[in-house]
Amino acid sequence: MKIDLSKLSITTAHEHLTRGDFSARELAEGYLSVIEKKNPEINAYLEVFDDVLDQAHEADKRIADKKEVGLLTGIPLAVKDNILIKGYRCGAASKILEGYHAPYDSTVIQKLKAQGAVFLGRTNMDEFAMGSSTENSAYGPTKNPHDTSRVPGGSSGGSAAAVAMDGALAALGSDTGGSIRQPAAFCGLVGFKPTYGAVSRHGLMAMGSSLDQIGPLTKTVGDAEIIFNAIRGKDPNDSTSRDFPDSSKKPLRVGVLTHFLHESQARSIDKQVFDNLGEAAKIVGDFGETVDIKLSDNPPLGYSLATYYIIMPAEVSSNLARFDGMKFGALEEGGNLMEDYFKTRGRLFGKEVRRRIILGTYVLSSGYYDAYYNKANVVRSLIQKTFENIWEKVDVLMTPTTPTPAFKIGEKTNDPMQMYLADIFTVTANIAGVPAISIPSGFAEVDGKKLPLGIQFMAPHGREDILFEIGKKFEKISS
Amino acid sequence: MLSPKDIDNLAELARLDIPADEKETLRKEVDAILGYVSEVQKLSGGEVKKVAGEVRNVMREDVNPHLSGAYTEELLAEAPRRQDNFVKVKKIL
């Protein structure tokens, strides 16, 4: 049969594959031909693997033998360039890892390989996942398939664009402050950040270790759930990972976060985004009870972004110390050992990475440590406590995913603070460690183009089940 | 307010060679970001109470080591410079 990639989900593709309507090889060929046609302009992929058809052939054998066939057998996936796949190049879109090949499989890749998933290639991203537009890649920006003059979001922008252009059925990304959910919203996809600890980060290049999670970008909530179930679980190689008990479902009470920003920040929120939240709340009202949660009653939430931009750079400055031109990647030679360090790190890290390392070095330095890093940890615990109070009133908290639809390429590159504000709704979940999902919620009209918007749901730790349940109901009514 | 000397000092600590023509922009940007994040100081709240989370004492037993040399070649292959089974760096002392 002729494959209509735009209509496929993992669930339907799996049915077709097991029924024999088409083979994994034909499916992979379909995606490869789209990539060949669209990737030169979109720049979603940094590399398309040369053994895709061999991988698909292996999946076809499994399906033919009816042996070890899972929901992801033969499903073509894109993988963010900071997740290791043994033997392949991996570089976090940074010059400092030029030439680096992964010596082992990350845990998530091991688990997907066990299911027989097909990896199409590695996707573009902001260097070391630092950014909200994919413009901080050392290999050029990715373009938004909905409007190529605009960014796809970031840092998992390549993964989002790959799925949105029908160049992959789903993709893996990483989310430290919104890097899965924000690009998913900009590209009209589902983006899911699991509870901190739900998915192993072994083999993910660390950015902010108390914040990072791996998760899927997909076309449907059901697909996100399938990938999450495949990659979750405790892993001895990631000491922060753990299993969460299955919880019994509760009636849905949905808190809608209102009056959510300081006035100074409110100016950067698009009116269409406000209106969209109202419409989304109405949809939710069809199947659940909505409760107004006022920011003014929960003041610590308003400090999430400031807290994030202290804790994250502090962890960045420490995590990126390992890139020194000695152990892996590229080396810029100097006259002596010290110059090797300075040149390698100074020349091969991009501007945003250097900026965050400097910032992190500052907030951790003696004399400022208490005023910044320690204080941020105090605020973090207040934010976590605020969530505990909110969960006594509601099961889910709903906000927009982003303050605006996708912005123009180049619009925010000269103003880091403006770029950081793109994460204002998403960072809260990382600071609190709670799971969060972004689901397509309609479009904003800008310059005659329809740009996707996303709505975000957050739930208590380990309660992904609530997000999937409400997400599926929302998706059904809104689409 | 950060001074140009502060930027030099931070770059030194972070082992970053920052091009001279970028320093002033970097100083202003980092200053603006610090201005914004200083907001956290407005929120009252004392010490963080150290609460042991569910994840703790996760050290594994030191048993079943892998065979010596099992990963040596793969790992060393990624080093920019090597000599035999060592990562090669410039003279330290």
Side-chain angles (χ1 to χ4, degrees):
Chain A
M1 72 179 262
K2 186 161 169 12
I3 310 173
D4 183 354
L5 297 181
S6 69
K7 295 233 162 62
L8 279 188
S9 67
I10 293 176
T11 320
T12 58
H14 172 71
E15 283 167 14
H16 286 303
L17 286 169
T18 48
R19 263 205 316 256
D21 298 334
F22 50 72
S23 65
R25 189 190 164 94
E26 287 165 327
L27 184 61
E29 282 170 343
Y31 283 106
L32 289 175
S33 89
V34 170
I35 294 168
E36 198 182 356
K37 207 169 83 201
K38 294 188 179 169
N39 200 56
E41 184 183 10
I42 302 291
N43 197 28
Y45 283 94
L46 292 174
E47 178 186 358
V48 178
F49 298 143
D50 56 13
D51 65 347
V52 171
L53 295 180
D54 297 339
Q55 296 179 49
H57 181 66
E58 288 302 312
D60 278 329
K61 276 203 281 192
R62 282 193 194 206
I63 293 166
D65 298 348
K66 293 197 168 62
K67 237 173 73 185
E68 294 177 80
V69 178
L71 288 168
L72 291 169
T73 309
I75 299 298
L77 303 174
V79 179
K80 190 175 181 177
D81 192 30
N82 59 354
I83 297 172
L84 305 191
I85 309 178
K86 187 175 175 167
Y88 292 93
R89 276 273 291 119
C90 192
S94 178
K95 291 282 179 210
I96 209 165
L97 281 170
E98 195 64 63
Y100 177 73
H101 289 79
Y104 63 95
D105 275 329
S106 51
T107 298
V108 290
I109 292 297
Q110 271 177 34
K111 289 181 176 227
L112 294 172
K113 275 185 177 173
Q115 283 224 16
V118 172
F119 305 113
L120 292 165
R122 57 190 176 99
T123 55
N124 202 10
M125 57 187 280
D126 287 296
E127 184 180 0
F128 285 105
M130 297 181 204
S132 309
S133 68
T134 318
E135 290 165 295
N136 295 332
S137 166
Y139 303 96
T142 297
K143 293 173 180 168
N144 190 320
H146 290 267
D147 177 350
T148 52
S149 71
R150 292 178 187 271
V151 303
S155 64
S156 312
S159 287
V163 179
M165 72 180 192
D166 282 325
L169 188 41
L172 285 186
S174 64
D175 190 314
T176 306
S179 282
I180 290 173
R181 290 160 285 154
Q182 187 254 18
F186 279 8
C187 292
L189 302 172
V190 173
F192 172 56
K193 181 202 88 74
T195 306
Y196 183 75
V199 175
S200 166
R201 286 99 45 89
H202 177 62
L204 168 72
M205 291 184 201
M207 175 185 166
S209 300
S210 76
L211 305 154
D212 299 338
Q213 268 293 286
I214 295 173
L217 294 100
T218 58
K219 296 203 275 190
T220 68
V221 175
D223 284 1
E225 186 176 15
I226 289 170
I227 293 185
F228 174 63
N229 284 334
I231 61 177
R232 69 192 291 191
K234 186 172 165 57
D235 173 16
N237 286 328
D238 176 357
S239 60
T240 63
S241 68
R242 60 190 174 113
D243 290 316
F244 289 86
D246 285 332
S247 310
S248 58
K249 295 202 167 69
K250 285 190 286 180
L252 287 168
R253 289 168 302 161
V254 181
V256 184
L257 191 64
T258 53
H259 308 157
F260 34 71
L261 293 168
H262 297 311
E263 277 186 30
S264 62
Q265 290 165 2
R267 273 175 282 143
S268 55
I269 313 286
D270 195 296
K271 185 179 176 301
Q272 297 189 74
V273 169
F274 271 116
D275 296 347
N276 188 259
L277 179 70
E279 287 160 27
K282 269 188 221 151
I283 293 177
V284 170
D286 282 357
F287 57 84
E289 180 195 346
T290 59
V291 181
D292 229 14
I293 300 286
K294 289 198 176 76
L295 182 68
S296 49
D297 296 336
N298 301 282
L301 295 188
Y303 294 86
S304 300
L305 191 68
T307 307
Y308 176 76
Y309 272 96
I310 295 172
I311 290 173
M312 176 274 294
E315 295 182 4
V316 159
S317 70
S318 161
N319 270 327
L320 271 65
R322 73 191 59 166
F323 299 102
D324 56 4
M326 308 288 140
K327 301 183 283 290
F328 32 60
L331 163 70
E332 283 275 310
E333 293 251 17
N336 55 43
L337 181 69
M338 196 55 101
E339 282 182 17
D340 279 3
Y341 290 140
F342 275 80
K343 281 195 166 172
T344 300
R345 294 167 56 79
R347 311 264 161 95
L348 302 179
F349 280 141
K351 263 191 189 173
E352 179 62 21
V353 174
R354 282 182 272 143
R355 194 182 289 135
R356 293 195 193 188
I357 291 175
I358 292 287
L359 199 57
T361 306
Y362 180 87
V363 299
L364 289 177
S365 59
S366 125
Y368 300 102
Y369 187 91
D370 280 332
Y372 289 94
Y373 187 67
N374 262 352
K375 185 70 195 187
N377 277 316
V378 172
V379 177
R380 184 178 200 171
S381 68
L382 293 173
I383 291 169
Q384 286 162 342
K385 204 175 283 166
T386 303
F387 267 103
E388 280 163 29
N389 293 335
I390 289 176
W391 302 139
E392 285 173 12
K393 301 186 190 84
V394 296
D395 306 313
V396 188
L397 187 61
M398 178 172 147
T399 73
T401 307
T402 59
T404 65
F407 45 88
K408 291 263 186 195
I409 291 172
E411 192 180 321
K412 297 181 197 282
T413 36
N414 290 322
D415 189 348
M417 247 344 282
Q418 273 305 310
M419 189 71 91
Y420 295 173
L421 285 169
D423 297 332
I424 189 126
F425 292 117
T426 47
V427 292
T428 319
N430 301 77
I431 291 289
V434 298
I437 195 165
S438 174
I439 297 170
S441 59
F443 293 88
E445 287 264 343
V446 186
D447 304 335
K449 291 227 162 120
K450 284 175 85 176
L451 303 175
L453 292 173
I455 207 79
Q456 173 179 242
F457 296 103
M458 292 179 257
H461 294 94
R463 293 309 302 270
E464 278 82 0
D465 60 306
I466 295 179
L467 296 181
F468 296 137
E469 185 182 322
I470 193 169
K472 284 175 195 168
K473 286 179 176 161
F474 184 86
E475 183 177 67
K476 207 167 167 188
I477 302 176
S478 67
S479 60
Chain B
M1 270 286 269
L2 285 179
S3 68
K5 219 180 142 222
D6 290 331
I7 290 291
D8 286 338
N9 183 37
L10 291 168
E12 182 87 19
L13 288 169
R15 305 286 188 260
L16 283 175
D17 177 24
I18 312 256
D21 59 342
E22 274 182 33
K23 281 185 187 169
E24 184 50 21
T25 327
L26 182 67
R27 188 189 67 77
K28 283 188 191 148
E29 287 166 347
V30 173
D31 224 33
I33 299 164
L34 287 173
Y36 173 74
V37 300
S38 300
E39 222 178 65
V40 296
Q41 285 145 17
K42 284 193 248 161
L43 200 65
S44 58
E47 286 298 294
V48 190
K49 253 216 280 181
K50 297 264 185 250
V51 194
E54 282 183 52
V55 180
R56 62 189 118 139
N57 192 20
V58 286
M59 305 286 273
R60 64 170 172 81
E61 289 303 312
D62 189 16
V63 291
N64 303 325
H66 60 73
L67 280 180
S68 174
Y71 301 105
T72 307
E73 192 49 45
E74 273 165 335
L75 293 174
L76 276 174
E78 299 305 326
R81 300 199 305 166
R82 70 182 279 189
Q83 186 176 325
D84 305 325
N85 274 354
F86 297 97
V87 169
K88 191 178 178 185
V89 298
K90 293 199 172 73
K91 202 166 67 175
I92 291 172
L93 289 174

